[in-house]
Amino acid sequence: MSIFLELIPVSEAEEILRKIAPSMEEEAVPLQDAYDRVLSRSATAEEDIPGFTRTVVDGYAIRAADTIGAGEAMPAMLTITGRVGMGEGDAGHVAPGECRYVPTGAVIPDGADAAAMIEYAEESGNEVLVYRAVASGENLTLRGDDFQKNDLVFPAGRRLSSRDLGVMGALGITTVPVRRKPVIGIISTGNELISPDKTPGPGEIRDVNTYLCRGYAQTRGLIPRIYGIIPDERDPLEEAIRQAVAECDLVCISGGSSKGERDMCAAILADLGTVHAHGISLAPGKPTIIGTIDDVPVMGLPGHPASAYVVLVALCDVLIAAMTGSEVTRITVPARCASPIPSARGREDYIRVRLEGRDAYPLFGKSGLTNTLIESSGLLRIPDGREGYEKGAEVEVILW
Amino acid sequence: MSIFLELIPVSEAEEILRKIAPSMEEEAVPLQDAYDRVLSRSATAEEDIPGFTRTVVDGYAIRAADTIGAGEAMPAMLTITGRVGMGEGDAGHVAPGECRYVPTGAVIPDGADAAAMIEYAEESGNEVLVYRAVASGENLTLRGDDFQKNDLVFPAGRRLSSRDLGVMGALGITTVPVRRKPVIGIISTGNELISPDKTPGPGEIRDVNTYLCRGYAQTRGLIPRIYGIIPDERDPLEEAIRQAVAECDLVCISGGSSKGERDMCAAILADLGTVHAHGISLAPGKPTIIGTIDDVPVMGLPGHPASAYVVLVALCDVLIAAMTGSEVTRITVPARCASPIPSARGREDYIRVRLEGRDAYPLFGKSGLTNTLIESSGLLRIPDGREGYEKGAEVEVILW
């Protein structure tokens, strides 16, 4: 094979990833376990929520017309005919000149069309003085104000937030249809690698990528399955790949940063399945391999940890979104380039940047280093049509 | 008790929370379980990382001086004396006029001070032609370039990200000292509440806050313990609070949005322990209660789900950060007010806003509704010294 890779644009790599992504089946989970899961069907309101008109203040259910012209000097005087308890379905009736006490959240009686706040009212015997005019509808939540029957509340593909769980509860959805969590097989290759619990001898370095990929899996709602450190030899690597493909929904092999290793990984993929891409116009991440074996996507990531993580964010995120029928969820923030950032046209660059206020400082660490992974706030993407950004340019930063 | 609460400023509430926060003990977890945990001690590098000088390219370890003046027309000609394998500790020696093949990541032999990329070299028999001048140090990662021995890499209190896990691996820290996860007791009160798996009858609504608080717990690395829906009656509520205080590190009681309920909750807290605050200059969230029972912080949250969630973010986050010795972790993004947002001076407002590009649109939903929780992108905080923001004002939005 040539030492020069045949590079494809990032957009083409994304298209390949969307095409090879196996769709995760649906499963039902209890609402309490649905945090951060991806909805497999849309969720709609089965009835009006709330199901009745409620007061949002402590006070008196009244007819607004009875308070016209009321003020400090000339309060409206109403006769109190009862008190509504929380959760009481039958709140009774309010006739002209009458009112009923209602605690926050209680049903508004028939006939009443507003609530007067307790802070602007005074109860004395059977009478309530209301010191402010109240408008019709004031201080009420109307039936269906939150959601109306048949409202689409969540589209399929939504990744459920903590707040979504509460709203799911409001909808009465306690068993949630979600996509199965993809199982990601994680393989680290390299004869120089040792387990992090060992002390490196001469020429050895600790395996960073297994924990990095495992951490990535945890942030993305994947189930990591670890295959350990595999030496750069054909047989053990092929065996590890075969096993991972049989047990996982996608496989990430990191390492193989040298030409010989890359070629071996690509050759195994070609023998066992198909290589769709070997080399992407992406920096860092150029030597990335995309393949499939038995319809299982296999990605060959660069060996350098920072490069591997960029590829996970730039490309693997696209694959996982397609597998779960969701959108790539990135938090981006607007920022200003604190110094010029050059880039080569025809290549998509992901520059690690540190945000200080609105200023994005590029961290041009050597690619073998891991310190930029923890010193950076996120990635500044330079599309392939640009030659970089000038100092002061308005950009978007993808938060890690 | 008065219907008017005695309000304290948010800053004072934060001070109280930091004062009453019990410190979580230290525990050791395997690195693979350390994602999103809070470091209890700082982590330092115990040796130089990497421990040797490596090449970051495939190519030839050379003496840079041997390539002075080299170019396409007149390549430097070097004698190849060997090949360094990945993980080989003894890379040999390069004398003037010599070179050795090095794959990416391999040890640089003694005597060599740079690597020439394979793309700009040609091997032929025992000779290697180098078509570009190479500077001393070029294409190398030096020993200690990533971290030097005794470097402080992570301070105590850091919440570990996925990338941090990889770097922990590089440091050889496979057992991680972290703060114990706080156990949060979650109590929902209200006679109108029913379990989300039931269909509401007249006057009833489904309990949203249990799932909301549980979701919050999951986003903040807490262990939720659910005490269910407790009726607004003194005995069962007191019993639930006693049990939760005995079993948890902090307790959140939501509901009690009416005066009577609030008073009961505060009275129980006063009887069993201490009420530090009842009423905070915060909107939404004014009726929030802060107490302690047997040194366990107990927070009384508003019953309205959106208000309850704002209080969790605005105040409970401060408590949890203090309990785990970490910083409040908020992602804020700069934005522009899309419409004027008024506020009362002397009160801190948290306005739910929807971000569209850089524009923040306030969602002024009635406080009893939950739909703003899912339609908003986050919160716009208006400090108590301000009377609001004009349209177009530059603001910061706290992402949910």
Side-chain angles (χ1 to χ4, degrees):
Chain A
M1 292 188 202
S2 160
I3 52 168
F4 295 102
L5 298 167
E6 234 182 279
L7 304 182
I8 62 167
V10 169
S11 58
E12 199 179 321
E14 290 178 345
E15 224 171 278
I16 292 170
L17 290 167
R18 280 190 283 263
K19 210 172 287 171
I20 65 173
S23 192
M24 292 294 95
E25 312 91 88
E26 191 174 51
E27 65 181 15
V29 296
L31 180 51
Q32 65 195 63
D33 300 331
Y35 172 63
D36 210 29
R37 299 297 299 266
V38 176
L39 265 188
S40 55
R41 314 176 181 208
S42 59
T44 53
E46 301 223 331
E47 67 263 318
D48 290 340
I49 298 173
F52 55 94
T53 294
R54 316 169 72 195
T55 169
V56 297
V57 297
D58 293 334
Y60 300 91
I62 58 163
R63 288 168 176 262
D66 286 343
T67 66
I68 291 173
E72 285 293 334
M74 193 164 53
M77 189 185 291
L78 303 173
T79 304
I80 182 163
T81 61
R83 292 168 186 277
V84 183
M86 289 304 295
E88 262 180 36
D90 180 7
H93 183 83
V94 167
E98 291 180 355
C99 69
R100 287 190 172 218
Y101 178 79
V102 280
T104 305
V107 177
I108 286 293
D110 287 344
D113 64 348
M117 287 174 77
I118 197 173
E119 286 86 342
Y120 304 112
E122 194 178 348
E123 201 173 321
S124 158
N126 281 341
E127 308 296 340
V128 173
L129 300 177
V130 176
Y131 291 96
R132 278 202 185 177
V134 182
S136 178
E138 199 170 329
N139 296 323
L140 301 187
T141 300
L142 304 182
R143 175 180 178 137
D145 252 356
D146 210 353
F147 301 104
Q148 296 198 337
K149 185 172 175 168
N150 298 326
D151 272 356
L152 173 73
V153 180
F154 297 111
R158 174 144 176 145
R159 186 175 287 278
L160 294 172
S161 73
S162 54
R163 286 157 292 118
D164 293 351
L165 296 196
V167 172
M168 279 285 187
L171 299 176
I173 300 173
T174 53
T175 301
V176 186
V178 296
R179 297 276 170 198
R180 183 165 67 71
K181 285 186 178 187
V183 176
I184 180 173
I186 298 170
I187 298 174
S188 265
T189 72
N191 289 335
E192 78 281 24
L193 297 181
I194 59 162
S195 169
D197 57 4
K198 301 218 171 79
T199 301
E204 294 178 335
I205 59 162
R206 294 196 182 96
D207 170 30
V208 168
N209 286 340
T210 293
Y211 284 103
L212 203 60
C213 291
R214 182 197 274 276
Y216 170 81
Q218 287 177 282
T219 63
R220 298 307 196 268
L222 314 174
I223 299 172
R225 194 182 274 259
I226 307 298
Y227 292 89
I229 301 166
I230 310 295
D232 281 321
E233 292 160 29
R234 169 90 199 198
D235 287 351
L237 184 53
E238 181 176 326
E239 177 50 34
I241 292 175
R242 274 183 195 277
Q243 195 191 337
V245 163
E247 297 173 343
C248 303
D249 300 305
L250 74 157
V251 176
C252 282
I253 306 164
S254 73
S257 43
S258 77
K259 177 194 167 321
E261 294 161 349
R262 278 201 313 266
D263 290 350
M264 186 164 65
C265 185
I268 294 172
L269 279 180
D271 286 353
L272 302 183
T274 309
V275 173
H276 303 284
H278 185 187
I280 296 171
S281 291
L282 175 68
K286 188 173 71 172
T288 298
I289 302 170
I290 301 174
T292 42
I293 299 173
D294 300 338
D295 293 332
V296 174
V298 180
M299 293 189 67
L301 308 178
H304 289 149
S307 308
Y309 208 83
V310 166
V311 173
L312 289 172
V313 172
L315 296 178
C316 200
D317 273 3
V318 174
L319 176 65
I320 289 159
M323 289 173 74
T324 53
S326 59
E327 303 278 323
V328 174
T329 47
R330 287 176 181 166
I331 301 178
T332 60
V333 299
R336 252 187 324 247
C337 277
S339 66
I341 306 182
S343 169
R345 193 186 282 271
R347 185 181 75 192
E348 192 160 307
D349 278 9
Y350 284 84
I351 311 292
R352 279 148 275 164
V353 295
R354 193 180 66 247
L355 285 175
E356 285 182 19
R358 291 210 46 213
D359 293 317
Y361 291 85
L363 301 176
F364 293 117
K366 297 177 187 171
S367 59
L369 305 184
T370 65
N371 59 30
T372 56
L373 276 175
I374 57 173
E375 283 164 14
S376 55
S377 319
L379 294 173
L380 170 58
R381 174 178 161 270
I382 306 180
D384 56 8
R386 285 197 69 103
E387 287 179 350
Y389 286 108
E390 291 172 11
K391 181 176 172 178
E394 295 286 335
V395 292
E396 297 270 325
V397 171
I398 303 167
L399 295 186
W400 279 124
Chain B
M1 294 189 199
S2 160
I3 52 167
F4 296 101
L5 298 168
E6 235 182 279
L7 304 183
I8 62 168
V10 170
S11 57
E12 199 178 321
E14 290 178 342
E15 224 170 280
I16 291 170
L17 290 167
R18 280 190 282 263
K19 210 171 289 171
I20 65 173
S23 193
M24 292 293 97
E25 313 90 89
E26 191 175 49
E27 65 182 15
V29 296
L31 179 51
Q32 65 195 64
D33 299 332
Y35 172 63
D36 210 31
R37 299 298 298 266
V38 176
L39 265 189
S40 54
R41 313 175 182 207
S42 59
T44 54
E46 301 223 331
E47 68 261 318
D48 290 340
I49 297 174
F52 54 94
T53 295
R54 315 170 72 195
T55 170
V56 298
V57 297
D58 293 333
Y60 300 91
I62 58 163
R63 288 167 175 262
D66 286 343
T67 66
I68 291 172
E72 285 293 333
M74 195 168 48
M77 190 186 290
L78 303 172
T79 305
I80 182 163
T81 60
R83 291 168 188 277
V84 183
M86 290 304 294
E88 263 181 35
D90 181 6
H93 183 81
V94 167
E98 292 182 355
C99 70
R100 289 191 169 215
Y101 177 79
V102 280
T104 304
V107 177
I108 287 293
D110 287 344
D113 64 348
M117 287 174 76
I118 197 172
E119 286 86 343
Y120 304 113
E122 196 179 343
E123 202 172 322
S124 159
N126 281 340
E127 308 296 340
V128 173
L129 301 176
V130 177
Y131 290 97
R132 276 202 186 178
V134 182
S136 178
E138 200 170 327
N139 296 322
L140 301 187
T141 300
L142 305 181
R143 175 182 178 136
D145 252 357
D146 210 353
F147 301 104
Q148 297 197 338
K149 186 172 175 171
N150 298 325
D151 272 356
L152 173 74
V153 180
F154 297 112
R158 174 140 176 151
R159 188 174 287 276
L160 295 172
S161 74
S162 53
R163 288 157 290 119
D164 293 351
L165 296 197
V167 173
M168 280 285 188
L171 298 176
I173 300 172
T174 53
T175 301
V176 186
V178 296
R179 296 277 170 198
R180 183 166 66 72
K181 286 185 176 188
V183 177
I184 180 172
I186 297 170
I187 298 175
S188 262
T189 71
N191 289 335
E192 78 281 24
L193 297 182
I194 58 162
S195 169
D197 57 3
K198 302 218 170 81
T199 301
E204 295 178 336
I205 58 162
R206 295 196 182 97
D207 170 30
V208 168
N209 286 341
T210 293
Y211 283 104
L212 203 59
C213 292
R214 182 197 274 276
Y216 169 80
Q218 287 177 283
T219 64
R220 298 308 196 268
L222 314 174
I223 298 172
R225 193 183 272 259
I226 307 299
Y227 292 89
I229 301 167
I230 309 296
D232 281 321
E233 291 159 31
R234 168 89 199 198
D235 287 351
L237 185 53
E238 181 175 326
E239 177 49 32
I241 293 174
R242 274 183 194 277
Q243 195 191 338
V245 164
E247 297 173 344
C248 303
D249 300 304
L250 74 157
V251 177
C252 280
I253 306 164
S254 73
S257 43
S258 78
K259 176 192 168 322
E261 293 162 348
R262 279 199 313 265
D263 289 351
M264 186 163 64
C265 186
I268 294 172
L269 278 182
D271 285 354
L272 302 184
T274 310
V275 173
H276 304 283
H278 185 187
I280 296 172
S281 291
L282 174 68
K286 187 172 73 173
T288 298
I289 303 169
I290 301 174
T292 42
I293 299 173
D294 299 339
D295 293 332
V296 174
V298 180
M299 293 189 67
L301 308 179
H304 290 149
S307 308
Y309 208 84
V310 166
V311 173
L312 289 173
V313 171
L315 295 178
C316 201
D317 273 3
V318 174
L319 176 64
I320 290 159
M323 289 173 74
T324 54
S326 59
E327 303 278 321
V328 174
T329 47
R330 286 176 181 165
I331 301 178
T332 60
V333 299
R336 254 186 323 247
C337 277
S339 67
I341 306 181
S343 169
R345 193 186 283 271
R347 185 181 76 190
E348 192 160 306
D349 278 10
Y350 283 85
I351 312 290
R352 279 148 275 165
V353 295
R354 193 180 67 248
L355 284 175
E356 287 183 15
R358 292 208 46 211
D359 293 317
Y361 290 85
L363 301 175
F364 292 118
K366 297 177 187 171
S367 59
L369 305 184
T370 65
N371 59 31
T372 56
L373 277 176
I374 56 174
E375 283 162 14
S376 55
S377 320
L379 294 172
L380 170 59
R381 173 177 162 269
I382 305 180
D384 56 9
R386 285 198 69 102
E387 285 179 352
Y389 287 107
E390 290 172 13
K391 181 175 171 177
E394 295 287 335
V395 292
E396 296 271 324
V397 172
I398 302 167
L399 295 185
W400 279 124

